C-alpha cells in the first residue's frame, strides 16, 4: 500500500502540475470521467517491446493531459499474458482498468486452457500494427530471399533461427516460412527481441524475424541486413527490401498493439477511453514514433475492432494447429 | 585525446547548477528508494519517468541515472541494518552485513558498503569512459554457450569452499535449481511445477521473495528463539574515530574491491545477467580466494565490500549495452531506454556518433553522482545506525511489516506474501539444521539463466556438448570453473582430511 500511495501521489502531483501548465483543461467527453487512477495492465514483463510501448502511451497521455486521472501501468506478464487475461476476466464491469495487448491476446487462451474467452472483453482501440522482417547478419553472403532459402536448405536443418519464446509471434512467423518454402530450421528461443538481435549481430544465430524497432539500431550501423518484409507494401524505412507478397509468397503477419477493457465496462467509460486514444493517435509524438520505428499506425475501434480480433484468433488457431501437426520443436 | 576532450565537454554539461542540483536530489531520493525493501531502482525510475518532461533530455537522463545509482547505494542499508535485502541487487550484502550489525559493527559495515560502492562505481565509470565502444563488441561475443560457462563458474565458487559443509551446499543448490524451474518454460512455452494450476506460480518464484523470506522472516524467527525476550542487538554507535578506522580497514581490501569492480562491470554488461548475479558472483569469488573463507557469512567486512563494489560496477556496466547496442542489461536500464526513446534519442550503435553531447554528459554525470552518493551516504550513516537502537520488540514488528510490504509491492500479489511466510519458516528450520542459505538464493537467481543458456546452446549446436569447450571464451570459463571446484578439494586432501567443522551461516 505504501508503494501504491507514493506512486499515486507522485503521479497525481505530475498530473496537477501538467494541468496548471496547460491552463484550461481540454474538455474530454463531457459526461463520464474516471474517478480514480486508471490501471493500464500490460500483458508482458517490464522492459520488453510491449512494455516500452505501453509506457510511451502512458507518458504521452500524461504529457498531453489526455486523461483527468493519472494512468498507472501494471505489468502482469506471467504465463505469456495468462496472468493479465485472468486478471481482466476477474474485473468484470470495472471502469478503471484497460489492458494493452499483443498477439498473445489470441495465442495464450488458444494454447493453454485458462478459462478466458476474449470475445467477452470490451474492445477499445487498436493503435498500431507492428511489422516483421527477415534479417541476416550483414557479413553473410545472403542478399535475396532465394539465397536465403538455398542456404537454409544447404544447411540440412542446422540453420539457426533465433526468436522469442516458442508459441509466440516469432515462432509463428518461422513456422509460416518453413511451410511456405518447405524448409526446416532449428528454432532457438530467447527471452526478448533485443536479445535476439544481439545474438544475430554476435554471430550466435543465423537469422531472425525481429520487428524493425528491435533491429533498427543495428541496421543503421550496418550490422544486419533485411531480406524480406512480411507486409503487403514495402516499409518506408527499408525502401529497397521487397515484401514476400511481391515475390509471390503470401506471407503477411502483424503484431497488433491495442487496448481492451473488461467485460461490461459502462458505455460512457468505453466512449471516454476511445476518445482518449483517438486523441493520442493524433499527437505529434505518436506520429513521429510510428514513422521512426516502422510501425503502421492503423486506428480501429468498436465492433470493427472486435471483428478483427475474432478473425485474427481464427487465423492464429490455424497456424498453431499447423505447428503442432508438424510435431516441430 | 579525443575521449578526454569529449569528457571535459560532458563535465561542462553535468556540472551546470541545474544538473548538479538534479544529481544531489536524485541520489538522495534513490538512496531512500533503495533502502526501502520492495522498492528498487526500477520503481524509482518508473515513478520519476513522467516527471522528466519538465527538464531537458540531458538533465532528465542525469536525474534517472542519479536515482539508479542512489538506489544501488541504498540497497545495502536495509540489508545491513535489518537483514532484509533493500533491493534485489543487495541480497549478497545481507550475508555478512547483517552479522556485522548484530556484532555492533553496523556503522563499519555501512561505511564499507558506501566506500565499496564508490570504488565499484568509479572504477567502472573509468572503464566505461575508456573502452565503451570496443567493449560493446565483447558483449556481442557472448552467446548462450559463454553465458552458461560463466554461470557455471559462479556456482563452483560456492561449492568448492571451505567453511560450509560441501554436501549441504550442493543440496541447497539443487533445491534452489528446482525452485527456479517453477513457471512458464521459455523453450517449450509450457507451464512447469505450478502446483495444480495456481495462477501465482505461472510467473515463477521471484528470488527476492525467497531472499526476504529466508533472510528477513527466517532471521527474525531465529533471533526470537535464541534471544527469548532479552534483546540481543548490540546498540551501535558511530564516532569519527570509527569512521577513520573504517576507512583504514577498507585500505586492506583493494584486491577484493578491484576484482569486484571488474567482475561486476563485466557481468553487468551481459544483457541477460545484471547486477544481482554480479554481486553474488563477486561474493563467491571473494570467498574462494580468501585466506579465511570460514569467516564469511559471520561478519567478514570483505563479504560486504565484494558484492557492493560489484553491484555498483554492474549498474554502470549494464548502461553499456543499453547505450551502444540499444539492449538493456537490466529492468532499470530498460526503463531508461524507454525514457530515451520518449525524448527522441535513439540508443544503439549510432548514438555515440550522433549524440556525443548527450552521451558524454551522461558519463560525466556518473562521476558526479558517485561523489554525491558516497558523501550523502556517509553523512546519513549516524541516522541509520540510530534507527537500530530502538528496542528489539519494536524493531521486530517493523521488520516483519517491511518484509510483507517488500514482498507484495513488486508484483502486487498476495500469493507472494504467502510464499514469504512459507520460505520464512523453511529458512528458520534450514538454519537450525545448519544448511547454508546463500547457495539457495544463488541457485534461484542463476538457475533460469543457466538452464536457458544450456538448452539454447544444445539446440543451436544440435546437441553437441563439446560446443562449451570448443569455443575459446566459454572454454576458458569452464576451465576456471573446474579449477575453482578442484582447488579446495586438493587443499582438503593435503590437510589429510582434517575437516574444519564450522557451523554454516
Amino acid at each position: 500500500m505504501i508503494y501504491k500511495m507514493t506512486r499515486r501521489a507522485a503521479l497525481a502531483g505530475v498530473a496537477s502540475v501538467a494541468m496548471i501548465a496547460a491552463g484550461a483543461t481540454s474538455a474530454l467527453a463531457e459526461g463520464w470521467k474516471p474517478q480514480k487512477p486508471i490501471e493500464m495492465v500490460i500483458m508482458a514483463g517490464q522492459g520488453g517491446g510491449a512494455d516500452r510501448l505501453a509506457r510511451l502511451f502512458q507518458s504521452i497521455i500524461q504529457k498531453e493531459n489526455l486523461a483527468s486521472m493519472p494512468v498507472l501501468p501494471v505489468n502482469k506478464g506471467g504465463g505469456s499474458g495468462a496472468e493479465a487475461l485472468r486478471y481482466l476476466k476477474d474485473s468484470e464491469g470495472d471502469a478503471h482498468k484497460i489492458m494493452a495487448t499483443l498477439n498473445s491476446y489470441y495465442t495464450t487462451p488458444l494454447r493453454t486452457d485458462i478459462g478466458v474467452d476474449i470475445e467477452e472483453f470490451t474492445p477499445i482501440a487498436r493503435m498500431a500494427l507492428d511489422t516483421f522482417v527477415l534479417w541476416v547478419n550483414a557479413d553473410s553472403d545472403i542478399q535475396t530471399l532465394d539465397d536465403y532459402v538455398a542456404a537454409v536448405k544447404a544447411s540440412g536443418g542446422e540453420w539457426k533461427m533465433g526468436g522469442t519464446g516458442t508459441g509466440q509471434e516469432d515462432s509463428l512467423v518461422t513456422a509460416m516460412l518453413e511451410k511456405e518454402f518447405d524448409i526446416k530450421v532449428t528454432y532457438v528461443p530467447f527471452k526478448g527481441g533485443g536479445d535476439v538481435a544481439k545474438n544475430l549481430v554476435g554471430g550466435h544465430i543465423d537469422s531472425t524475424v525481429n520487428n524493425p524497432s528491435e533491429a533498427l539500431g543495428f541496421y543503421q550501423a550496418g550490422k544486419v541486413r533485411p531480406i524480406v518484409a512480411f507486409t503487403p507494401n514495402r516499409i518506408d524505412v527499408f525502401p529497397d527490401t521487397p515484401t514476400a507478397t511481391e515475390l509471390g509468397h503470401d506471407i503477411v503477419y502483424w503484431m497488433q498493439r491495442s487496448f481492451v477493457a473488461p467485460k461490461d465496462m459502462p458505455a460512457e467509460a468505453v466512449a471516454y477511453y476511445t476518445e482518449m486514444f483517438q486523441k493520442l493517435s493524433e499527437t505529434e509524438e505518436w506520429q513521429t514514433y510510428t514513422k521512426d520505428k516502422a510501425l503502421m499506425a492503423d486506428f480501429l475501434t468498436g465492433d470493427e475492432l472486435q471483428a478483427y480480433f475474432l478473425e485474427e484468433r481464427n487465423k492464429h488457431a490455424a497456424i498453431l494447429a499447423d505447428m503442432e501437426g508438424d510435431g516441430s520443436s | 585525446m579525443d575521449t578526454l576532450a569529449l569528457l571535459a565537454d560532458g563535465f561542462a554539461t553535468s556540472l551546470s547548477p541545474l544538473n548538479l542540483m538534479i544529481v544531489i536530489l536524485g541520489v538522495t531520493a534513490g538512496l531512500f528508494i533503495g533502502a526501502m525493501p520492495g522498492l528498487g531502482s526500477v520503481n524509482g525510475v518508473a515513478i520519476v519517468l513522467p516527471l522528466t518532461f519538465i527538464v531537458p533530455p540531458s538533465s532528465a537522463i542525469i536525474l534517472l541515472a542519479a536515482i539508479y545509482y542512489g538506489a544501488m547505494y541504498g540497497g545495502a542499508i536495509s540489508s545491513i541494518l535489518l537483514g532484509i535485502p533493500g533491493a534485489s541487487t543487495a541480497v549478497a550484502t545481507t550475508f555478512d552485513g547483517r552479522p556485522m550489525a548484530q556484532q555492533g559493527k553496523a556503522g563499519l559495515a555501512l561505511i564499507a558498503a558506501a566506500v565499496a560502492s564508490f570504488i565499484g562505481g568509479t572504477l567502472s565509470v573509468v572503464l566505461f569512459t575508456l573502452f565503451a565502444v570496443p567493449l560493446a563488441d565483447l558483449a556481442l561475443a557472448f552467446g548462450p554457450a559463454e553465458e552458461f560457462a560463466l554461470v557455471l563458474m559462479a556456482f563452483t565458487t560456492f561449492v568448492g569452499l571451505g567453511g560450509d559443509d560441501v554436501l549441504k551446499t550442493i543440496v541447497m543448490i539443487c533445491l534452489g535449481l528446482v525452485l527456479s524451474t517453477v513457471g512458464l518454460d521459455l523453450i517449450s512455452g509450457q507451464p512447469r511445477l505450478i502446483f495444480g494450476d495456481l495462477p501465482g506460480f505461472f510467473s515463477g518464484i521471484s528470488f527476492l521473495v525467497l531472499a526476504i523470506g529466508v533472510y528477513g522472516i527466517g532471521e527474525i524467527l531465529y533471533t526470537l528463539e535464541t534471544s527469548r525476550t532479552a534483546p540481543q542487538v548490540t546498540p551501535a554507535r558511530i564516532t569519527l574515530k570509527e569512521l577513520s578506522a573504517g576507512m583504514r580497514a577498507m585500505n586492506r581490501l583493494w584486491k577484493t574491491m578491484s576484482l569486484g569492480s571488474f567482475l561486476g562491470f563485466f557481468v553487468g554488461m551481459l544483457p541477460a545477467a545484471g547486477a544481482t548475479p554480479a554481486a553474488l558472483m563477486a561474493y563467491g569469488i571473494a570467498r574462494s580466494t580468501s585466506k579465511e573463507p570460514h569467516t564469511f557469512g559471520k561478519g567478514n567486512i570483505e563479504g560486504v565490500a565484494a558484492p557492493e563494489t560489484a553491484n555498483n560496477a554492474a549498474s554502470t556496466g549494464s548502461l553499456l549495452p543499453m547505450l551502444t547496442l540499444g539492449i538493456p542489461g537490466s529492468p532499470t536500464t530498460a526503463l531508461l531506454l524507454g525514457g530515451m526513446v520518449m525524448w527522441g534519442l535513439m540508443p544503439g550503435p549510432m548514438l555515440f556518433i550522433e549524440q556525443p553531447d548527450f552521451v558524454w554528459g551522461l558519463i560525466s554525470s556518473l562521476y558526479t553522482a558517485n561523489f554525491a552518493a558516497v558523501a550523502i551516504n556517509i553523512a546519513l550513516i549516524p541516522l541509520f545506525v540510530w534507527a537500530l537502537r530502538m528496542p528489539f520488540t519494536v524493531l521486530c514488528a517493523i521488520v516483519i511489516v517491511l518484509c510483507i510490504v517488500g514482498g507484495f509491492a513488486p508484483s502486487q500479489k498476495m500469493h507472494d506474501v504467502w510464499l514469504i511466510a512459507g520460505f520464512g519458516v523453511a529458512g528458520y528450520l534450514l538454519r537450525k539444521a545448519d544448511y547454508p542459505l546463500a547457495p539457495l538464493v544463488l541457485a534461484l537467481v542463476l538457475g533460469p539463466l543457466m538452464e536457458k543458456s544450456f538448452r539454447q546452446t544444445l539446440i543451436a549446436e544440435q546437441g553437441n556438448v563439446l560446443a562449451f569447450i570448443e569455443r575459446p571464451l566459454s572454454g576458458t570459463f569452464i576451465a576456471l570453473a573446474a579449477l575453482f571446484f578442484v582447488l579446495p578439494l586438493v587443499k582438503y586432501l593435503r590437510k589429510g582430511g582434517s575437516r574444519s567443522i564450522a557451523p554454516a551461516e
Side-chain angles (χ1 to χ4, degrees), chain A residues 70-91:
Chain A
V71 175
L72 299 177
V74 180
N75 295 82
K76 293 197 183 293
S80 285
E83 191 191 343
L85 288 161
R86 277 294 281 268
Y87 180 74
L88 205 67
K89 186 186 163 72
D90 296 339
S91 309

Side-chain angles (χ1 to χ4, degrees), chain A residues 3-4 10 46-47 52 55-56 59 80 83 158 160 166 186-187 189-190 194 198-199 201-202 204 217-218 221 289, chain B residues 39 42-43 47 53 139-144 184 187 271 325 327 334-335 337 341-342 349 412 456 459-460 462 471:
Chain A
Y3 165 77
K4 261 196 154 163
Q46 282 175 341
R52 262 145 71 180
R55 285 172 197 277
L56 177 79
S59 56
S80 285
E83 191 191 343
E158 290 192 13
K160 284 169 260 179
T166 305
T186 300
Y187 187 78
F190 290 86
K198 180 212 136 202
N199 274 283
V201 177
H204 307 291
F218 291 116
Y289 183 87
Chain B
L39 279 182
V42 183
N43 312 88
I47 293 167
F53 288 119
L140 285 176
F142 254 74
L184 206 84
I187 310 279
L325 306 175
I327 302 164
L335 284 176
L337 186 72
V341 172
M342 260 156 48
Q412 315 223 345
Q456 279 168 344
I459 291 173
Q462 315 290 330
R471 301 170 63 111

Side-chain angles (χ1 to χ4, degrees), chain A residues 121-160:
Chain A
F121 294 145
T122 313
I124 301 281
R126 185 180 74 191
M127 298 308 294
L129 292 171
D130 210 343
T131 55
F132 289 83
V133 172
L134 176 67
W135 300 91
V136 294
N137 191 306
D139 294 338
S140 128
D141 294 332
I142 296 168
Q143 302 286 350
T144 65
L145 183 60
D146 289 339
D147 293 350
Y148 179 80
V149 173
V152 176
K153 283 195 168 146
S155 75
E158 290 192 13
W159 187 268
K160 284 169 260 179

Side-chain angles (χ1 to χ4, degrees), chain A residues 100-277:
Chain A
T101 67
L102 46 162
N103 284 5
S104 51
Y105 183 59
Y106 330 115
T107 52
T108 301
L110 286 171
R111 298 183 72 232
T112 351
D113 181 24
I114 51 167
V116 168
D117 182 0
I118 58 168
E119 209 173 334
E120 291 180 352
F121 294 145
T122 313
I124 301 281
R126 185 180 74 191
M127 298 308 294
L129 292 171
D130 210 343
T131 55
F132 289 83
V133 172
L134 176 67
W135 300 91
V136 294
N137 191 306
D139 294 338
S140 128
D141 294 332
I142 296 168
Q143 302 286 350
T144 65
L145 183 60
D146 289 339
D147 293 350
Y148 179 80
V149 173
V152 176
K153 283 195 168 146
S155 75
E158 290 192 13
W159 187 268
K160 284 169 260 179
M161 172 72 98
T164 50
T166 305
Q168 291 177 18
E169 297 78 8
D170 289 7
S171 72
L172 301 188
V173 179
T174 305
M176 291 161 92
L177 271 176
E178 285 185 318
K179 195 180 170 201
E180 177 74 23
F181 297 104
D182 191 27
I183 50 177
K184 191 89 197 72
V185 298
T186 300
Y187 187 78
V188 188
F190 290 86
K191 213 155 185 181
D195 213 5
V196 175
K198 180 212 136 202
N199 274 283
L200 178 65
V201 177
H204 307 291
I205 47 178
D206 302 316
S207 62
T208 74
V209 287
N210 269 145
N211 296 130
S213 65
E214 292 159 342
L216 209 56
F218 291 116
Y219 169 71
Q220 284 161 349
K223 304 264 191 196
V224 292
R225 180 181 304 138
I227 297 299
V228 65
F230 303 110
T231 46
N233 301 306
R234 292 193 178 196
I235 300 172
D236 289 346
V237 189
F238 316 113
D240 302 328
T241 306
T243 67
T245 322
E246 75 185 71
L247 298 175
H249 301 281
D250 186 25
I251 305 180
V252 174
Y253 191 75
W254 305 103
M255 166 92 92
Q256 52 94 4
R257 310 281 191 188
S258 313
F259 285 89
V260 298
K263 183 185 178 187
D264 297 334
M265 178 186 259
E268 310 85 63
V270 175
Y272 180 88
Y273 293 122
T274 309
E275 196 184 335
M276 178 177 90
F277 282 112

